[in-house]
Amino acid sequence: MPLRELLGDQVLDLLLERSKDGKGGLRLTGEGSMLGELVKAVLERALEAELSSHLGYGKHDPVGHGTGNSRNGKIGKTVQTGVGPVRLAVPRDRAGTFEPVLVPKRAGRISGGLDDMIISLYAHGMSVRDIQHHLRQIYEVELSHEAISNITDAVLEEVRAWQARPLEAIYPVVFLDAIVVKVRDNHSVQAKPAYLAIGIDADGEKHVLGIWLAKTPLDHATAGESSRFWNAVMTDLRNRGVRDILIACTDGLAGFEDAIHAAFPYTTVQTCVVHMIRNALRPVARRDRAGVAAELKKIYTAPSAEAAFDALADFTASDWGTKYPQAARVFEAAWDRFTPFFAFSPAVRKLLYTTNGIESLNYQLRKVTKARGHFPGDDAVVKLLWLAIINIEDKRARERASHKEKTGKIKNSPSTARLIEGQRTIGWREALIELDLAYP
């Protein structure tokens, strides 16, 4: 039965009257509000039911005489809820053996709605201080910095399980990309890259395989892009069940090639074409970027490595190449790691240089991390990035489900499509046939 019919007009009218403030408006949340009173009534009723179950008899039931335990009044307690602070009258028993489940002893808040809200706010990039201010201003809830941190830390176990989950034996393609975050490390705030590995499995579906941060600042001997760091990442992948990676697409990471060949000897390392284009266009004036980009496209869409070399020579000798020689140098410096994908047909090449999904993921994650000044440690970074990915995927899934429920049709649009997890790779069937021949 709907709550509206269950309560009836008379009860609702009384609740409305009691919830009006001095100006005639409604106080829906906060101490003494309408929702607060409802929560109080429901919780106290539930606590009475819990005590009856514990004692084995109901209130005023003569069966309880001579049982050795009975009700012993009530004690006042204020708990924080999703609608603000609520003052409860918690029943007690004489033997002191009653342990409420719904409102545990020494618990200062009711988990569920409030915890979920805090985790959601955190996943959207709000700092602990921002969450404190939001709860105080909107819900009149006072929670300490430590309490909020403990709530968000509760997901760390899930994060660690996700980071250690078994992976597929073979990933035809793995992309490695990074976003830079500020982390307190060695008693100072350092800019550190958080690396994300996105793998395409044999079914053509994309998955975030893991998130890794170096344990030391970048200017240190064992920084993020060192062989030691990448050896640890590759060892982690092998320990989780990965036996081979056909093509690894990266941004020319120092120490990466040696590390991946030590773990996966036959992997082809391909420099990410998108990163190369971005680096080549960095010194180009905004008004000239369209023209320069059109000329650079002739290089990476050439039919062969030899034709690409000729296109690069033509660009270097052109007016654009003379004006922006740094753009050509980007390709020249990475030529050996840039050309491997010319051994494949356009189906596989497009797979390697079309990284819109990864770029979209990084864009969403940067929006979340940008609001956070700096992080107290590496775990906090991984926790937030994981929560942000889950939050975005869940939001899009809800929007798809809502649209299907309303229209009976599946909505396919950039705003509701899977961001990464489970996203299908376009043109995968043709690419898989070619990869199967190239890597028997």
Side-chain angles (χ1 to χ4, degrees):
M1 180 184 294
L3 186 62
R4 169 72 177 78
E5 297 178 15
L6 191 64
L7 292 177
D9 292 341
Q10 186 176 3
V11 175
L12 289 174
D13 289 342
L14 288 171
L15 286 171
L16 282 170
E17 188 61 34
R18 292 186 59 175
S19 300
K20 290 181 179 179
D21 57 23
K23 298 180 180 179
L26 287 179
R27 290 185 299 110
L28 295 177
T29 61
E31 193 168 1
S33 65
M34 180 175 71
L35 293 180
E37 288 293 313
L38 280 173
V39 170
K40 173 182 171 66
V42 170
L43 288 178
E44 289 183 347
R45 175 65 176 167
L47 287 169
E48 286 288 353
E50 280 192 45
L51 181 57
S52 294
S53 176
H54 174 73
L55 294 173
Y57 61 90
K59 196 173 184 179
H60 307 304
D61 191 331
V63 175
H65 294 310
T67 59
N69 197 8
S70 60
R71 285 171 167 78
N72 187 31
K74 300 176 182 179
I75 185 172
K77 177 177 183 177
T78 300
V79 294
Q80 303 290 350
T81 71
V83 297
V86 173
R87 185 69 178 173
L88 298 177
V90 181
R92 299 183 298 180
D93 64 331
R94 291 195 178 277
T97 55
F98 176 48
E99 293 283 348
V101 176
L102 193 61
V103 186
K105 289 182 178 179
R106 295 172 294 281
R109 68 179 187 278
I110 304 299
S111 61
L114 186 61
D115 286 19
D116 292 343
M117 182 193 304
I118 289 170
I119 290 173
S120 177
L121 294 173
Y122 189 87
H124 280 83
M126 290 181 68
S127 66
V128 172
R129 190 183 301 276
D130 292 336
I131 294 172
Q132 275 183 305
H133 177 72
H134 178 81
L135 295 176
R136 186 185 307 116
Q137 185 179 45
I138 305 301
Y139 300 101
E140 298 180 16
V141 173
E142 288 285 350
L143 284 182
S144 68
H145 187 286
E146 183 182 12
I148 295 174
S149 295
N150 289 338
I151 293 171
T152 59
D153 283 346
V155 303
L156 273 176
E157 188 174 339
E158 291 182 64
V159 176
R160 294 188 180 110
W162 175 78
Q163 284 277 72
R165 76 195 189 283
L167 299 175
E168 299 290 333
I170 296 177
Y171 286 93
V173 183
V174 169
F175 298 92
L176 272 160
D177 204 359
I179 63 171
V180 177
V181 293
K182 293 181 179 179
V183 186
R184 183 169 293 280
D185 197 347
N186 294 339
H187 308 292
S188 64
V189 176
Q190 303 285 342
K192 298 170 65 173
Y195 288 98
L196 286 85
I198 293 93
I200 301 178
D201 65 19
D203 295 323
E205 294 187 355
K206 297 176 183 177
H207 305 276
V208 180
L209 306 185
I211 303 169
W212 297 274
L213 277 85
K215 296 299 181 185
T216 50
L218 278 177
D219 57 356
H220 216 266
T222 55
E225 297 184 19
S226 70
S227 295
R228 182 183 299 181
F229 172 71
W230 288 117
N231 280 328
V233 173
M234 294 305 119
T235 300
D236 181 40
L237 291 176
R238 286 195 66 86
N239 289 342
R240 291 163 63 192
V242 180
R243 291 294 168 260
D244 202 5
I245 295 171
L246 304 188
I247 303 172
C249 196
T250 71
D251 185 20
L253 304 171
F256 174 78
E257 193 165 353
D258 291 339
I260 194 169
H261 283 155
F264 310 107
Y266 305 108
T267 298
T268 298
V269 178
Q270 169 71 46
T271 293
C272 179
V273 178
V274 172
H275 282 94
M276 290 187 66
I277 298 168
R278 186 185 299 151
N279 294 337
L281 292 177
R282 188 167 286 125
V284 178
R286 187 180 297 274
R287 64 180 180 277
D288 296 335
R289 285 188 178 180
V292 174
E295 292 301 312
L296 293 177
K297 187 175 181 180
K298 297 176 182 178
I299 301 173
Y300 62 85
T301 58
S304 65
E306 292 76 15
F309 186 81
D310 293 339
L312 177 60
D314 291 342
F315 174 80
T316 304
S318 69
D319 292 340
W320 288 129
T322 303
K323 187 174 183 180
Y324 299 109
Q326 305 97 320
R329 290 193 198 110
V330 170
F331 284 85
E332 291 168 358
W335 191 256
D336 291 339
R337 296 186 302 275
F338 163 65
T339 53
F341 83 136
F342 284 110
F344 301 102
S345 71
V348 177
R349 290 192 207 177
K350 188 175 182 181
L351 176 69
L352 297 178
Y353 67 70
T354 303
T355 56
N356 295 338
I358 300 165
E359 296 297 312
S360 178
L361 172 64
N362 285 345
Y363 173 73
Q364 297 289 345
L365 295 181
R366 285 190 186 100
K367 286 201 302 184
V368 173
T369 58
K370 189 177 181 181
R372 291 294 309 269
H374 70 273
F375 293 85
D378 291 352
D379 282 346
V381 178
V382 176
K383 177 175 65 175
L384 177 61
L385 294 179
W386 179 81
L387 280 171
I389 293 170
I390 297 298
N391 182 60
I392 295 166
E393 297 287 13
D394 284 352
K395 179 183 176 183
R396 293 185 174 205
R398 288 194 302 271
E399 290 175 356
R400 290 195 300 271
S402 176
H403 186 269
K404 186 176 181 180
E405 186 178 346
K406 291 177 182 178
T407 65
K409 299 177 181 179
I410 298 175
K411 184 177 182 180
N412 291 316
S413 70
S415 63
T416 60
R418 294 176 184 270
L419 185 62
I420 283 291
E421 201 63 33
Q423 183 189 84
R424 291 283 297 177
T425 303
I426 298 173
W428 178 247
R429 183 174 298 176
E430 296 83 355
L432 183 61
I433 292 171
E434 187 173 350
L435 289 170
D436 190 38
L437 293 173
Y439 299 92

